[in-house]
Amino acid sequence: MAQETIAILGGTGDQGLGLALRFARAGRPVAIGSRKVERAIEAAEQVRKQVPGAQVTGFDNAEAVAAAPIVILSVPFEHTAGTLKAVRERLREGQIVISMGVPLATAIGDGAVRMLGIWQGSCAELVAALVPKGVQVVSAFQNVSAHRLQHLDEPVECDVVVSGAKDPRERVMALCGLVPGLRAVDGGPLGNARIVESLTALLIGLNVRYEVSAGVGIRFTGLPQS
Amino acid sequence: MAQETIAILGGTGDQGLGLALRFARAGRPVAIGSRKVERAIEAAEQVRKQVPGAQVTGFDNAEAVAAAPIVILSVPFEHTAGTLKAVRERLREGQIVISMGVPLATAIGDGAVRMLGIWQGSCAELVAALVPKGVQVVSAFQNVSAHRLQHLDEPVECDVVVSGAKDPRERVMALCGLVPGLRAVDGGPLGNARIVESLTALLIGLNVRYEVSAGVGIRFTGLPQS
């Protein structure tokens, strides 16, 4: 069976590019989406330079959505709704949209160590409210450092809490296994994204207080060995 | 210098008793507080049985507050305000109150995997709003499993995020070093308790989904070695 393509909207940003590099390194076809197709094409070239033989293509966001069964939404939080509205007509039943956005207060000019309150509860639940019926939303990857993703020679020492309905959640958990060091943790229903997203603000504060430029991560202890 | 006594209000509950055992084991004098002094005296006896030579005394909550410069508030969340009001007159300037409560939805008969919204932002900030001026509130210990605390022969594999003003925060961080396996992490200002408290609901969900009766904990990766 051909490997499923992974689309990454906002794949030119630090974290999206990091995921593109990691999934490409794992041999997965990647569709990088951007508002400007030229920037997506550039990012795809950059991935191919770092991962020889990578199957990576640059698209505008809507074309990227059309190209893949799994779509990672990796745009700054304040562009979440706008991006979804721009690609909504290309989303189709059975697709999985992964929300990795975090409502940091930077969206309103305040600091990254504080959160905005989101009416729906979280960025992931906002996304779920905006996608067409039949598209499944899963929350994941919020707490993974862009810096660590981009350093391909080192494992990413971080757990990924994956929340959403059971079937799509399990498919996204399987994706985590493609990246050395990442461990998927079953985060239960999508509403738990409220907690997981806010953890990002705490981690950003730890990065500052402990001067960890590579980014602090999180691990859960006491889980059964898998 | 004589070791400072640690008072634990609600020290007859699972988590409070666990902390009493651990601090007693570390040689610290402990004042266990309860609404009913007989129950506190019983709990103190239980600690002395498990930790021979422990300096542990049972008090009613108000007397326990009077006995110690550091007071840990380990009552169920819904008793937070009531307990503080009952002991308020005994609190004095310079004391530190450690909030370890979590506004789980169990307080209103819903599940422990969901949180209540607290007007002040968190249990810790509610506590800060209720103590007399000059009493300092620090948030800590929410994510530490009672089961692991009580199993004295094993280290407690968990980081403790400590939030609050700098001086009292550092004093509480030092307390964490008394318990093998606990590592204090500088959680910045008290408002971050919002995030740390909500993590408890996520950990409770993980305990259920992964059937971990001893309790899942949390570790941060990438912090400088201390």
Side-chain angles (χ1 to χ4, degrees), chain B residues 3-16:
Chain B
Q3 296 268 37
E4 287 179 332
T5 298
I6 301 169
I8 306 177
L9 309 195
T12 60
D14 280 348
Q15 219 176 357

PDB file of all heavy atoms in Angstrom, chain B residues 3-16:
ATOM      1  N   GLN B   3      14.424  22.640  62.879  1.00  0.00           N
ATOM      2  CA  GLN B   3      13.740  22.478  61.600  1.00  0.00           C
ATOM      3  C   GLN B   3      12.340  23.076  61.687  1.00  0.00           C
ATOM      4  O   GLN B   3      11.636  22.865  62.684  1.00  0.00           O
ATOM      5  CB  GLN B   3      13.616  20.989  61.286  1.00  0.00           C
ATOM      6  CG  GLN B   3      14.948  20.306  61.082  1.00  0.00           C
ATOM      7  CD  GLN B   3      15.341  20.312  59.621  1.00  0.00           C
ATOM      8  OE1 GLN B   3      15.072  21.290  58.911  1.00  0.00           O
ATOM      9  NE2 GLN B   3      15.952  19.261  59.167  1.00  0.00           N
ATOM     10  N   GLU B   4      11.947  23.771  60.655  1.00  0.00           N
ATOM     11  CA  GLU B   4      10.603  24.347  60.635  1.00  0.00           C
ATOM     12  C   GLU B   4       9.530  23.266  60.550  1.00  0.00           C
ATOM     13  O   GLU B   4       9.637  22.331  59.748  1.00  0.00           O
ATOM     14  CB  GLU B   4      10.452  25.265  59.417  1.00  0.00           C
ATOM     15  CG  GLU B   4      11.207  26.576  59.554  1.00  0.00           C
ATOM     16  CD  GLU B   4      11.047  27.436  58.304  1.00  0.00           C
ATOM     17  OE1 GLU B   4      10.844  26.866  57.213  1.00  0.00           O
ATOM     18  OE2 GLU B   4      11.130  28.669  58.433  1.00  0.00           O
ATOM     19  N   THR B   5       8.518  23.421  61.356  1.00  0.00           N
ATOM     20  CA  THR B   5       7.383  22.499  61.290  1.00  0.00           C
ATOM     21  C   THR B   5       6.577  22.759  60.021  1.00  0.00           C
ATOM     22  O   THR B   5       6.440  23.892  59.567  1.00  0.00           O
ATOM     23  CB  THR B   5       6.474  22.695  62.515  1.00  0.00           C
ATOM     24  OG1 THR B   5       7.227  22.395  63.696  1.00  0.00           O
ATOM     25  CG2 THR B   5       5.249  21.791  62.462  1.00  0.00           C
ATOM     26  N   ILE B   6       6.056  21.686  59.450  1.00  0.00           N
ATOM     27  CA  ILE B   6       5.159  21.791  58.291  1.00  0.00           C
ATOM     28  C   ILE B   6       3.767  21.369  58.737  1.00  0.00           C
ATOM     29  O   ILE B   6       3.584  20.258  59.232  1.00  0.00           O
ATOM     30  CB  ILE B   6       5.640  20.886  57.141  1.00  0.00           C
ATOM     31  CG1 ILE B   6       7.062  21.285  56.711  1.00  0.00           C
ATOM     32  CG2 ILE B   6       4.678  20.939  55.968  1.00  0.00           C
ATOM     33  CD1 ILE B   6       7.721  20.291  55.772  1.00  0.00           C
ATOM     34  N   ALA B   7       2.813  22.278  58.606  1.00  0.00           N
ATOM     35  CA  ALA B   7       1.429  21.930  58.932  1.00  0.00           C
ATOM     36  C   ALA B   7       0.725  21.442  57.667  1.00  0.00           C
ATOM     37  O   ALA B   7       0.925  21.996  56.585  1.00  0.00           O
ATOM     38  CB  ALA B   7       0.697  23.136  59.505  1.00  0.00           C
ATOM     39  N   ILE B   8      -0.086  20.407  57.816  1.00  0.00           N
ATOM     40  CA  ILE B   8      -0.840  19.882  56.673  1.00  0.00           C
ATOM     41  C   ILE B   8      -2.315  19.830  57.045  1.00  0.00           C
ATOM     42  O   ILE B   8      -2.740  18.944  57.790  1.00  0.00           O
ATOM     43  CB  ILE B   8      -0.329  18.478  56.263  1.00  0.00           C
ATOM     44  CG1 ILE B   8       1.189  18.522  56.009  1.00  0.00           C
ATOM     45  CG2 ILE B   8      -1.069  17.988  55.012  1.00  0.00           C
ATOM     46  CD1 ILE B   8       1.811  17.177  55.669  1.00  0.00           C
ATOM     47  N   LEU B   9      -3.069  20.801  56.544  1.00  0.00           N
ATOM     48  CA  LEU B   9      -4.513  20.816  56.804  1.00  0.00           C
ATOM     49  C   LEU B   9      -5.180  19.815  55.874  1.00  0.00           C
ATOM     50  O   LEU B   9      -4.906  19.796  54.673  1.00  0.00           O
ATOM     51  CB  LEU B   9      -5.098  22.210  56.564  1.00  0.00           C
ATOM     52  CG  LEU B   9      -4.405  23.384  57.245  1.00  0.00           C
ATOM     53  CD1 LEU B   9      -5.312  24.619  57.211  1.00  0.00           C
ATOM     54  CD2 LEU B   9      -3.999  23.060  58.668  1.00  0.00           C
ATOM     55  N   GLY B  10      -6.044  18.994  56.423  1.00  0.00           N
ATOM     56  CA  GLY B  10      -6.568  17.890  55.627  1.00  0.00           C
ATOM     57  C   GLY B  10      -5.523  16.792  55.537  1.00  0.00           C
ATOM     58  O   GLY B  10      -5.464  16.047  54.569  1.00  0.00           O
ATOM     59  N   GLY B  11      -4.704  16.712  56.570  1.00  0.00           N
ATOM     60  CA  GLY B  11      -3.597  15.751  56.568  1.00  0.00           C
ATOM     61  C   GLY B  11      -4.046  14.325  56.820  1.00  0.00           C
ATOM     62  O   GLY B  11      -3.225  13.406  56.830  1.00  0.00           O
ATOM     63  N   THR B  12      -5.348  14.139  56.978  1.00  0.00           N
ATOM     64  CA  THR B  12      -5.867  12.783  57.147  1.00  0.00           C
ATOM     65  C   THR B  12      -6.290  12.186  55.807  1.00  0.00           C
ATOM     66  O   THR B  12      -6.560  10.996  55.711  1.00  0.00           O
ATOM     67  CB  THR B  12      -7.090  12.785  58.093  1.00  0.00           C
ATOM     68  OG1 THR B  12      -8.105  13.614  57.518  1.00  0.00           O
ATOM     69  CG2 THR B  12      -6.718  13.370  59.453  1.00  0.00           C
ATOM     70  N   GLY B  13      -6.351  13.006  54.773  1.00  0.00           N
ATOM     71  CA  GLY B  13      -6.696  12.503  53.436  1.00  0.00           C
ATOM     72  C   GLY B  13      -5.505  11.807  52.800  1.00  0.00           C
ATOM     73  O   GLY B  13      -4.378  11.887  53.296  1.00  0.00           O
ATOM     74  N   ASP B  14      -5.764  11.141  51.681  1.00  0.00           N
ATOM     75  CA  ASP B  14      -4.717  10.320  51.061  1.00  0.00           C
ATOM     76  C   ASP B  14      -3.450  11.098  50.731  1.00  0.00           C
ATOM     77  O   ASP B  14      -2.336  10.672  51.031  1.00  0.00           O
ATOM     78  CB  ASP B  14      -5.246   9.704  49.750  1.00  0.00           C
ATOM     79  CG  ASP B  14      -6.106   8.480  50.030  1.00  0.00           C
ATOM     80  OD1 ASP B  14      -6.092   7.996  51.176  1.00  0.00           O
ATOM     81  OD2 ASP B  14      -6.787   8.037  49.088  1.00  0.00           O
ATOM     82  N   GLN B  15      -3.646  12.249  50.076  1.00  0.00           N
ATOM     83  CA  GLN B  15      -2.463  12.968  49.612  1.00  0.00           C
ATOM     84  C   GLN B  15      -1.777  13.702  50.769  1.00  0.00           C
ATOM     85  O   GLN B  15      -0.552  13.711  50.867  1.00  0.00           O
ATOM     86  CB  GLN B  15      -2.861  13.956  48.511  1.00  0.00           C
ATOM     87  CG  GLN B  15      -1.823  14.010  47.405  1.00  0.00           C
ATOM     88  CD  GLN B  15      -2.255  14.914  46.266  1.00  0.00           C
ATOM     89  OE1 GLN B  15      -3.352  15.468  46.255  1.00  0.00           O
ATOM     90  NE2 GLN B  15      -1.383  15.074  45.282  1.00  0.00           N
ATOM     91  N   GLY B  16      -2.576  14.279  51.669  1.00  0.00           N
ATOM     92  CA  GLY B  16      -2.008  14.964  52.827  1.00  0.00           C
ATOM     93  C   GLY B  16      -1.237  14.005  53.711  1.00  0.00           C
ATOM     94  O   GLY B  16      -0.120  14.306  54.168  1.00  0.00           O
TER      95      GLY B  16
END
